[in-house]
Amino acid sequence: MDYPARQGKTGADMQRDTDQFEVRLARGAEDLRLAQSLRYQVFVEELGSDGPLVDHDRRLEADRFDTVFDHLMLLDHGRSGNPCVGVYRVMRDDQAAAAGQFYCDDEYDLGILKRSDLRLLELGRSCLHAEYRGGTAMMHLWNGLAAYVERHGIDLMFGVASFHGTDAMAFAAPLSLLHHRYLAPEDIRVHAHAPHFQRMDLIAEADLDRVAAARALPALIKGYLRMGGVVGEGAFIDHPFNTTDICLLMDVKQVSQKQLGLYTQGRHT
């Protein structure tokens, strides 16, 4: 699969923390292959996902949207083998218009967002190599994301985040917590499509152990919530990808520069 190099994104879109680590956008087909290789390790080998364009022989996790997304990569230049240890896919509304849709259009009715005057950015396929979890790697990716958001004047970020597995009752407590405490305002509240719509209010708020429910949230979702994230109405059961998805939304105006990591050490202009 060929990934066209994008122009004008090698300055403000690049950050270095040390000579070893770098956050930047993918520049061509080889970079995309490295990102897809990491995604295969995480989504296919670890989590049991699959899809029509997944290449098991070459161990690449791919889909039809890869050529229209930008791919934000965390590279460890001191690592042997694949230096890509973190990935984020990002797609602006102008890119989605050219592609004919957002990725999330397949799971959620995004009409209320598209009818707004907001500058939109879709996030997806966020993952880290197992050896880099629990440290600063996710912060590095968020720093790169913050620079991208600022560069393109983004107003609202959104994307699906997942619980791994398709039995919603296994996630009844965290899903109910999201519905009762983090439901998006009506003016940006997207809705999951039928027939894969799954109610999230599975436990009444009065009966919910909020501490235990919060503890059961995936780390990435917790991070978004700490930055002011809210969720759409209903979860989406994605059987091919073996996930129960929620749609997270973040109003950039409500996210402080400190929270997003803007202007941190090593930023290049």
Side-chain angles (χ1 to χ4, degrees):
M1 178 182 295
D2 181 44
Y3 178 74
R6 304 195 181 276
Q7 302 299 316
K9 295 181 180 178
T10 58
D13 287 338
M14 183 175 72
Q15 297 178 316
R16 286 184 184 275
D17 295 289
T18 68
D19 290 337
Q20 182 175 346
F21 292 96
E22 179 184 3
V23 180
R24 63 167 173 80
L25 293 178
R27 294 171 179 160
E30 176 59 19
D31 276 354
L32 178 57
R33 185 191 67 78
L34 295 176
Q36 291 171 334
S37 177
L38 174 65
R39 284 162 36 187
Y40 188 92
Q41 286 183 261
V42 175
F43 295 121
V44 179
E45 293 184 334
E46 288 187 38
L47 303 175
S49 302
D50 204 352
L53 296 184
V54 171
D55 187 334
H56 294 287
D57 292 332
R58 298 173 63 205
R59 300 179 70 251
L60 302 176
E61 194 279 311
D63 71 13
R64 63 192 176 94
F65 291 94
D66 273 335
T67 56
V68 291
F69 272 86
D70 282 333
H71 301 261
L72 189 65
M73 308 169 66
L74 173 63
L75 303 170
D76 179 352
H77 294 295
R79 178 181 175 81
S80 61
N82 184 358
C84 181
V85 297
V87 173
Y88 235 127
R89 280 200 325 191
V90 293
M91 181 162 62
R92 306 182 307 273
D93 43 18
D94 57 303
Q95 293 168 308
Q101 68 167 101
F102 286 105
Y103 175 92
C104 286
D105 275 308
D106 288 342
E107 300 191 8
Y108 283 82
D109 180 353
L110 304 179
I112 197 165
L113 301 183
K114 295 177 181 179
R115 291 190 295 271
S116 73
D117 293 326
L118 298 172
R119 188 83 164 95
L120 305 175
L121 181 70
E122 182 176 27
L123 312 177
R125 286 301 200 276
S126 173
C127 65
L128 291 172
H129 189 284
E131 295 175 5
Y132 293 78
R133 297 169 197 165
T136 61
M138 196 69 227
M139 182 187 69
H140 297 330
L141 279 175
W142 276 340
N143 291 345
L145 176 62
Y148 189 98
V149 164
E150 186 214 7
R151 178 188 176 107
H152 293 287
I154 300 301
D155 298 310
L156 183 80
M157 299 181 288
F158 71 96
V160 294
S162 304
F163 294 85
H164 298 292
T166 56
D167 178 6
M169 291 309 299
F171 319 116
L175 287 175
S176 298
L177 177 68
L178 291 171
H179 177 87
H180 294 309
R181 291 301 178 99
Y182 296 99
L183 196 62
E186 289 188 5
D187 61 344
I188 59 168
R189 189 182 302 167
V190 301
H191 290 252
H193 289 307
H196 300 284
F197 179 97
Q198 168 63 54
R199 286 181 52 193
M200 294 167 60
D201 55 338
L202 299 172
I203 300 174
E205 187 170 13
D207 298 328
L208 188 63
D209 181 339
R210 293 196 298 272
V211 174
R215 191 179 300 121
L217 287 168
L220 182 63
I221 294 177
K222 289 180 185 177
Y224 286 135
L225 297 179
R226 283 194 293 268
M227 291 193 292
V230 292
V231 302
E233 179 77 38
F236 183 92
I237 307 300
D238 186 345
H239 290 283
F241 215 64
N242 190 34
T243 57
T244 298
D245 296 340
I246 61 167
C247 188
L248 275 157
L249 308 100
M250 287 188 292
D251 183 341
V252 172
K253 296 188 299 296
Q254 303 301 318
V255 181
S256 73
Q257 290 183 355
K258 180 179 179 181
Q259 287 171 309
L260 254 181
L262 279 173
Y263 309 122
T264 56
Q265 296 180 10
R267 177 156 184 205
H268 287 242
T269 58

